[in-house]
Amino acid sequence: MFMLSSHVYQLVTTIGYRRHLLRQGGWIIALIMFLSLFETAISQNQSSDPKSTQVLQLHYQKGHVVVDNGIFQLTLSNPEGFVTGIRYNGIENVLAYTGTEHDRGYWDLVWNYPGKKIKKSKGTLDRIEATKMEVITQNDEKIEISFSRTWNASSTLAVPVNIDKRFVILQNSSGFYSYAIFERLKGWPAVELDNIRLVFKLNQDKFHYMAISDERQRYMPLPDDRIPPRGKPLAYPEAVQLLDPIEPELKGEVDDKYEYSMESKDIKVHGWISTNDSVGFWQITPSNEFRSAGPLKQFLGSHVGPTNLAVFHSTHYVGAELIMSFEEGEAWKKVFGPVFVYLNSFPKGVDPLLLWNQAKNQTKIEEEKWPYSFTASSDFPASDQRGSVTGRLLVRDRYIRSEDIPANGSYVGLAAPGDVGSWQREYKGYQFWSKADEKGYFSIDNVRTGRYNLYAFVPGFIGDYHNETVFNISPGTKISLGDLVYEPPRDGVTLWEIGVPDRTAAEFYIPDPNPTFTNKLYLNRSDKYRQYGLWERYAELYPHEDMVYNVDVDDYSKNWFYMQVTRKQADGGYKGTTWQIKFQLDDKTKNFTGNFKLRIALATSNVAELQVRVNDVTVVKPLFTTGEIGKDNTIARHGIHGLYWLYSVDVPATSLRHGNNTIYLTQPLAISPFQGLMYDYIRLECPDSISHLT
């Protein structure tokens, strides 16, 4: 009872709900009530009837198989492998009941043959309809079912990949697991995969409250609210203004699924609550080892539908560079998942929004169980078939400190062998990341067998660490690397700097949204960059002249607009922009020779070019240009970063002068409002090789 009481007290105190209870009549009465209700809730959630949960039942029906463990009932189409029904806690089906039953729970992908993309389409959508059902395991503890299909070489319409979708149901478990094995054999034709995901569409009459983090949760609009005349499409199809929503308090808001994107490292649990039924539907991802492009890659999760997604691969926030491209004859195999679909409930009288807290607790349980030992496929290795890498990362920058600096908070990871920063464009293999502690120590555990390089990035320092050693991980491998030293790019002392090197533009000035286009969830918050239409605010703030920033007097959190975008013209076209950085050189620097160094770290770029000029904006040939870079569409998708780019520009001392100087940053490409850049950090270094700390 004490353990339960402690658990309940933590739940009550974590979300401020206790204040409401205090107003109702005292904390002692409130705590006693919660203890009683949570005891009932937990017992109901685990086992309403011990006899019914002792035996897993598998029933065959026409065109379906049904698995029942006494807590919930899962219905799968046979042999296609679609999730057509989930019965739980008195709800006949928590999934959508409109449309066809094959549009409720499913794996899908988008693919193309190279050079054969359908006009005005991203590719061919494949709902992954299996052709064979097989019970892999059936006993008192678990049932694992396979739904597979094999590619036929004579087919020109099917993606050349063998796919095996698996579903696992455990005894006394309030949910089920799903994973999929994708495999290409040698000799198969070239192909491109754009998107791989697991989709659940929920009952829209039941699930209205969405939660994706402690701070990002709310009652959501309904799908009908997005359709004219209730909704008005905006600059792109995903963004809709709610003109006449069914819930009047949502009137005027903007709904866009990209407002709810999350970084891979933070996608652990997300889902929906039916407040009337006190039922939660959650997707729990204990590990992101199978996702593409590392811990900072952004993915969709939950959004209006009500829709719940597990996105394993997508090009969002990166662009075409992340299209999964396979050459003619290239073999490949990868396991996506498992992810856990978790169902929970409370009795009447308990705040249903506390189901979120219980889902977070279940997430911790699933993380402790990873890698799962109950999967039947040998392609998903258990813990004893994996390895580990440990070490300590230090930063050496003698212009900041004379001794090495522990890489506190750095992300250290193993990914396929490649170049510096290649992990953010890698998609065919697995990645394993760990966050270093305050002393720089890291431990990367449960690493699959394979060949890896070690990568890292450190908040507060530009660039990427890359260890070129190829680490061969085999079952039981334990590699201790000792102290590793990262020396970030540096040629001299800092004359001035703008921003914080954290791979995002979050520290710069982010304007308030146009009052006409808001999402109330993000009003008056640090993540207000998720609001729609902020790209239009630049021209409103700078109607005639572009931004000018003086390093001696300006504050980048107030005076540096967080994205350099195009300017809309009266004729409806767009124009590129040129920003100015003004600074002074005093007597101490007038005798320098050689090159100053300008470091420019970009947090994102979308079909943009950065040109650098010094003290003469009229010169035709810039001192430096990136050329056209980036297709990550971060600006339109309410992001604060996409791909990271780092440039080091030599600025000849002869191009600078004693007194006032200006660096011009021009983004000339201007066809749409979504072309532009976000800066992470800019620094000018003095050509001084001897004045560093010793």
Side-chain angles (χ1 to χ4, degrees):
M1 181 66 181
F2 175 78
M3 294 179 63
L4 177 61
S5 300
S6 300
H7 171 70
V8 173
Y9 182 73
Q10 184 182 17
L11 286 178
V12 176
T13 56
T14 51
I15 66 169
Y17 187 67
R18 59 179 181 179
R19 290 195 295 269
H20 169 73
L21 295 171
L22 287 171
R23 290 194 295 267
Q24 302 301 317
W27 72 270
I28 296 178
I29 296 175
L31 185 57
I32 292 173
M33 181 186 75
F34 265 85
L35 287 172
S36 174
L37 289 172
F38 269 90
E39 281 188 283
T40 305
I42 291 174
S43 63
Q44 284 190 356
N45 203 48
Q46 294 301 317
S47 173
S48 57
D49 179 358
K51 292 183 180 180
S52 68
T53 60
Q54 292 301 310
V55 178
L56 279 170
Q57 302 179 51
L58 177 61
H59 305 286
Y60 291 86
Q61 300 176 354
K62 184 178 179 180
H64 299 87
V65 290
V66 181
V67 185
D68 191 336
N69 73 351
I71 300 175
F72 73 99
Q73 187 181 88
L74 177 68
T75 302
L76 303 160
S77 66
N78 182 9
E80 301 89 353
F82 299 128
V83 182
T84 64
I86 302 173
R87 179 189 294 174
Y88 174 73
N89 200 52
I91 300 178
E92 184 65 24
N93 196 351
V94 303
L95 300 181
Y97 58 86
T98 56
T100 67
E101 66 171 14
H102 292 178
D103 195 38
R104 296 172 183 170
Y106 53 86
W107 286 77
D108 70 7
L109 60 84
V110 176
W111 71 283
N112 292 287
Y113 284 118
K116 295 184 179 180
K117 232 170 221 191
I118 300 172
K119 188 177 182 181
K120 294 184 180 180
S121 172
K122 296 180 180 179
T124 300
L125 176 64
D126 185 345
R127 190 58 64 86
I128 310 181
E129 184 172 329
T131 58
K132 177 184 177 183
M133 189 279 286
E134 181 181 4
V135 177
I136 303 298
T137 305
Q138 182 178 2
N139 55 44
D140 290 344
E141 288 77 35
K142 67 177 179 180
I143 291 176
E144 179 164 343
I145 306 177
S146 163
F147 297 90
S148 62
R149 75 178 189 199
T150 302
W151 181 67
N152 187 339
S154 64
S155 173
T156 59
L157 300 177
V159 59
V161 180
N162 290 339
I163 301 175
D164 184 358
K165 303 180 293 185
R166 300 286 184 98
F167 295 89
V168 183
I169 302 90
L170 303 180
Q171 183 186 46
N172 295 334
S173 174
S174 188
F176 61 93
Y177 301 84
S178 187
Y179 66 105
I181 306 162
F182 283 52
E183 183 178 22
R184 281 174 47 86
L185 302 182
K186 290 183 178 180
W188 286 8
V191 72
E192 297 176 346
L193 304 180
D194 285 19
N195 197 67
I196 300 171
R197 62 183 190 168
L198 172 61
V199 181
F200 292 99
K201 296 180 179 179
L202 304 183
N203 187 327
Q204 68 181 49
D205 288 343
K206 298 287 186 181
F207 294 92
H208 301 150
Y209 190 87
M210 186 186 78
I212 60 177
S213 75
D214 285 336
E215 296 79 25
R216 301 172 68 190
Q217 46 183 273
R218 62 169 298 176
Y219 286 97
M220 295 289 285
L222 295 174
D224 290 348
D225 293 336
R226 294 176 48 87
I227 302 173
R230 289 189 179 276
K232 174 186 175 183
L234 297 175
Y236 44 87
E238 293 86 353
V240 171
Q241 187 176 27
L242 309 178
L243 301 180
D244 183 27
I246 294 171
E247 296 296 333
E249 64 269 20
L250 300 177
K251 185 174 182 178
E253 287 200 51
V254 172
D255 177 70
D256 181 351
K257 64 183 180 180
Y258 292 110
E259 293 176 327
Y260 304 106
S261 299
M262 297 186 72
E263 292 179 347
S264 182
K265 64 181 177 62
D266 298 324
I267 304 177
K268 296 183 178 181
V269 56
H270 61 91
W272 293 80
I273 295 172
S274 172
T275 53
N276 289 337
D277 300 282
S278 289
V279 166
F281 182 99
W282 311 99
Q283 181 195 118
I284 294 175
T285 308
S287 169
N288 55 21
E289 66 181 41
F290 38 76
R291 287 205 192 102
S292 303
L296 300 183
K297 169 69 170 67
Q298 295 167 92
F299 293 92
L300 293 171
S302 290
H303 58 77
V304 162
T307 301
N308 185 279
L309 303 174
V311 182
F312 303 102
H313 174 77
S314 77
T315 59
H316 293 151
Y317 299 94
V318 175
E321 292 179 80
L322 211 59
I323 292 175
M324 192 178 284
S325 179
F326 297 94
E327 298 178 354
E328 183 86 19
E330 182 179 357
W332 170 74
K333 180 183 282 190
K334 189 170 183 179
V335 177
F336 297 99
V339 296
F340 183 44
V341 176
Y342 175 59
L343 303 158
N344 62 349
S345 62
F346 285 157
K348 297 296 183 181
V350 178
D351 183 355
L353 302 189
L354 288 173
L355 289 166
W356 163 252
N357 293 71
Q358 192 179 69
K360 289 197 301 178
N361 290 341
Q362 186 65 38
T363 301
K364 294 177 182 178
I365 294 171
E366 299 299 324
E367 288 177 325
E368 292 171 358
K369 291 161 57 178
W370 188 271
Y372 296 132
S373 60
F374 51 75
T375 55
S377 174
S378 60
D379 293 311
F380 183 78
S383 181
D384 61 358
Q385 295 298 306
R386 299 179 176 228
S388 65
V389 175
T390 60
R392 186 188 190 205
L393 184 63
L394 303 169
V395 179
R396 183 169 297 162
D397 188 336
R398 295 296 182 252
Y399 292 90
I400 294 179
R401 190 179 301 174
S402 58
E403 64 274 2
D404 292 344
I405 305 167
N408 180 18
S410 61
Y411 283 87
V412 187
L414 294 171
D419 299 323
V420 174
S422 62
W423 55 268
Q424 64 176 347
R425 294 174 172 85
E426 197 278 323
Y427 48 75
K428 292 181 182 178
Y430 303 91
Q431 296 195 23
F432 303 86
W433 289 83
S434 174
K435 191 173 182 179
D437 66 17
E438 61 184 8
K439 295 183 179 180
Y441 289 101
F442 63 88
S443 179
I444 307 173
D445 302 318
N446 294 312
V447 182
R448 283 173 164 264
T449 59
R451 301 171 71 251
Y452 303 91
N453 280 169
L454 188 77
Y455 303 87
F457 55 93
V458 187
F461 297 90
I462 60 174
D464 286 80
Y465 173 79
H466 177 219
N467 191 314
E468 296 180 354
T469 302
V470 175
F471 298 103
N472 287 288
I473 303 297
S474 58
T477 297
K478 294 183 179 180
I479 299 175
S480 179
L481 299 177
D483 287 353
L484 304 172
V485 177
Y486 171 49
E487 296 189 46
R490 169 76 76 170
D491 283 4
V493 297
T494 299
L495 286 177
W496 50 260
E497 59 186 349
I498 302 171
V500 177
D502 60 359
R503 306 176 87 92
T504 82
E507 68 271 22
F508 298 122
Y509 175 70
I510 300 172
D512 292 329
N514 184 325
T516 306
F517 304 108
T518 61
N519 182 324
K520 293 176 183 176
L521 178 62
Y522 301 117
L523 289 176
N524 304 315
R525 287 173 42 152
S526 60
D527 57 352
K528 62 182 179 180
Y529 58 81
R530 301 184 189 278
Q531 296 280 11
Y532 173 85
L534 296 185
W535 55 86
E536 297 177 345
R537 304 297 276 169
Y538 173 74
E540 295 171 8
L541 289 169
Y542 300 93
H544 306 297
E545 302 292 336
D546 283 325
M547 188 191 77
V548 178
Y549 185 88
N550 190 320
V551 298
D552 293 324
V553 297
D554 287 331
D555 179 345
Y556 59 74
S557 67
K558 300 176 181 177
N559 306 110
W560 185 279
F561 199 80
Y562 82 109
M563 54 181 169
Q564 184 172 358
V565 290
T566 56
R567 182 193 302 279
K568 190 172 184 178
Q569 303 298 289
D571 61 2
Y574 296 89
K575 182 181 180 181
T577 54
T578 297
W579 289 6
Q580 300 179 44
I581 302 175
K582 292 187 173 295
F583 62 99
Q584 291 190 339
L585 293 182
D586 57 21
D587 292 339
K588 296 178 182 178
T589 57
K590 66 180 181 180
N591 295 321
F592 283 140
T593 59
N595 293 323
F596 289 71
K597 189 73 74 173
L598 182 65
R599 311 282 186 187
I600 302 177
L602 299 178
T604 190
S605 177
N606 186 56
V607 195
E609 176 185 1
L610 175 60
Q611 299 176 353
V612 178
R613 293 175 174 85
V614 178
N615 284 330
D616 186 356
V617 73
T618 64
V619 63
V620 175
K621 184 178 180 181
L623 175 66
F624 169 81
T625 179
T626 62
E628 182 180 314
I629 57 172
K631 291 184 179 181
D632 59 23
N633 216 8
T634 299
I635 293 170
R637 290 174 176 157
H638 324 291
I640 206 69
H641 71 85
L643 281 178
Y644 177 80
W645 309 76
L646 178 62
Y647 297 98
S648 297
V649 182
D650 287 332
V651 180
T654 54
S655 68
L656 300 174
R657 52 197 177 217
H658 178 62
N660 296 325
N661 290 269
T662 303
I663 290 177
Y664 298 94
L665 304 176
T666 299
Q667 198 297 104
L669 306 182
I671 298 176
S672 86
F674 306 122
Q675 289 176 272
L677 309 160
M678 291 185 192
Y679 296 90
D680 166 40
Y681 176 74
I682 304 175
R683 179 173 77 212
L684 184 64
E685 299 170 8
C686 183
D688 181 2
S689 61
I690 60 173
S691 67
H692 60 78
L693 298 172
T694 58

